[in-house]
Amino acid sequence: MSNEKKIVKFHTRREVNIGLVVAFGVLILLSINIYRYFTSPHLSVYEVQAGSAGSEEKAVAMILRTETVYRTQQAGYLNFYYREGARIAKDSAVYSINDTSDLQNLLDLNEENSVLSTNDVVRLKSNIRDFCAKYSDVTYSDSYKLREDFLSDYLRYRDVSMLDALSEQNTNASGNFLTVHSSQSGVISYYSDLYDGYTKEQLTGEEFTEEKRTVPEYRKPSGISATDSFAYKLIPQEDWELVIKVTDDCLERLKKEGDSVSFQIAGDPVKYNRPYEVMRIGRASYLLVEMDRYGTEYLSERFLDVTLFLAAKEGLKIPATSILEKEVYQIPERFIMQGGGEKGSVGISMEVFDPESGEIKLDYHEITPLFYENGYYYVAAEVIDSDRYINSEGTESEPERAMLYSFLTNLEGVYNMNRGYAVFKRIKRLTDVEDYILVQSGLAGGVALYDHIILDVSAVTNDVILIEGE
């Protein structure tokens, strides 16, 4: 019998490959992190920079002028010889008036036969020569003014010449005719309103209300005019005044900047810088600004919209998206106790329930204030329940007792990320600059230059660790 070899198979146990398990776990964690990276909002950081911004204040100004109003002395047909805004000399013939329309008909019929005197022609030519000598392309618009002046002068000379001729031909043709001469020199205007000849002593403040603000009307008579009706007014001098209504805050800023104000009138490219006086009418503040030119440009205006330019503010430039409002405790200093630690820690005396004795006891609770200012410690609201009572420190037999809820207030601020975690820093706004806010620098507990802050606080979620003090 041959020896047969028996082969017996043994089942061996497979060993686990630790390397594969670790690699698989790492792959899972990496996948989770990649998913969270693409699905979670990202915290972008902004470095705080210095900035500045000019400040503008919109206001309403009222024009005050030395104005003399002239009215008709009799009824009749008026014929004016000067255009709006023309400068006339004393004793100039401003207009003629007669009680019948026959005179005007005679003037129209004799217009072709009218002849100007030699002196009149010389004056007209002289005005043209003076204009040509001073002309430049920059002042081309003055040619329109020359045309109006030339036409009004021609009509005045013509009418006076024809009236003299008619008087020689027929003394009754002119009827009850009267030529009115100016009693003073000045700029003539046919605009009139409620405040003709108004002075600063007459101001009550109601003039600046919407219902009292008026626009002068053009009242140059046409056709027959009644007795004692408005004829024209004369402005004898170039000087005029602006009364500008301002807020108390604007006035305080102006006082710090000096005794002059920079402003611009709506529609006028000129930027003025003029001294001012302060007027108080009732509870409102006004600036009285004296002007010495361009007054004839505003004969048809009484109220103007102006923009006041205040000195540029300097501070820190913060994106508007970085700002949030945070609830904090504003705890009076009398409720704060010194802890006596190495860093001079502080705390509050908080009421706690003792389960062994069943009584309320006082317990020292250390706090980390955001900052201290003007007798108050500011503490993040989420670190202590608002329904807890605290006691003031002192020698009184019964210390003052208050609930933390009564000290709640809101502060604007940003999240500082200098240390890798978020720390709340408060801000105080100065002004808006497009998408940025200019805030005060050097503020206790405030943001500082070159701080790294969260760019968009809407991306902050609950899983971001927020440390509310340092």
Side-chain angles (χ1 to χ4, degrees), residues 104-294:
Q104 188 61 48
N105 295 333
L106 287 172
L107 291 174
D108 294 339
L109 291 173
N110 286 272
E111 182 176 0
E112 294 182 358
N113 299 323
S114 62
V115 178
L116 298 184
S117 68
T118 302
N119 290 335
D120 294 339
V121 173
V122 169
R123 283 195 291 263
L124 289 174
K125 288 182 177 180
S126 176
N127 292 338
I128 295 175
R129 281 195 300 269
D130 290 343
F131 174 81
C132 292
K134 300 176 182 178
Y135 174 80
S136 69
D137 292 339
V138 178
T139 60
Y140 175 77
S141 59
D142 290 344
S143 60
Y144 297 103
K145 181 176 178 293
L146 172 69
R147 178 182 177 277
E148 293 178 1
D149 287 340
F150 183 88
L151 182 59
S152 62
D153 289 341
Y154 167 75
L155 292 175
R156 183 169 69 258
Y157 300 153
R158 184 208 65 180
D159 287 358
V160 172
S161 177
M162 285 193 296
L163 285 171
D164 291 341
L166 288 172
S167 297
E168 294 177 1
Q169 297 173 15
N170 184 358
T171 55
N172 295 323
S174 61
N176 187 13
F177 176 80
L178 174 66
T179 300
V180 178
H181 294 77
S182 61
S183 60
Q184 59 180 330
S185 62
V187 175
I188 192 169
S189 177
Y190 304 107
Y191 284 93
S192 178
D193 66 354
L194 298 174
Y195 306 112
D196 286 339
Y198 226 64
T199 64
K200 60 184 179 183
E201 288 78 17
Q202 294 175 271
L203 292 172
T204 62
E206 294 184 2
E207 299 86 358
F208 290 82
T209 59
E210 195 66 33
E211 58 272 14
K212 292 290 186 179
R213 289 174 57 182
T214 63
V215 177
E217 296 180 9
Y218 189 74
R219 296 184 180 180
K220 187 175 181 179
S222 59
I224 192 168
S225 178
T227 303
D228 197 37
S229 61
F230 174 84
Y232 68 98
K233 66 182 179 183
L234 275 181
I235 296 90
Q237 58 190 35
E238 289 285 346
D239 296 344
W240 51 299
E241 294 176 318
L242 280 177
V243 180
I244 307 174
K245 186 175 183 180
V246 295
T247 63
D248 290 339
D249 177 65
C250 177
L251 180 59
E252 290 301 316
R253 291 182 59 187
L254 283 172
K255 288 180 177 179
K256 294 177 181 179
E257 296 169 9
D259 55 359
S260 63
V261 57
S262 295
F263 64 94
Q264 192 170 20
I265 299 171
D268 186 349
V270 179
K271 188 174 181 180
Y272 301 92
N273 187 276
R274 304 291 298 171
Y276 68 88
E277 296 179 15
V278 178
M279 297 174 56
R280 293 289 296 184
I281 303 175
R283 297 182 179 180
S285 300
Y286 301 83
L287 304 181
L288 181 64
V289 180
E290 294 186 359
M291 308 288 288
D292 56 8
R293 54 180 177 169
Y294 305 125

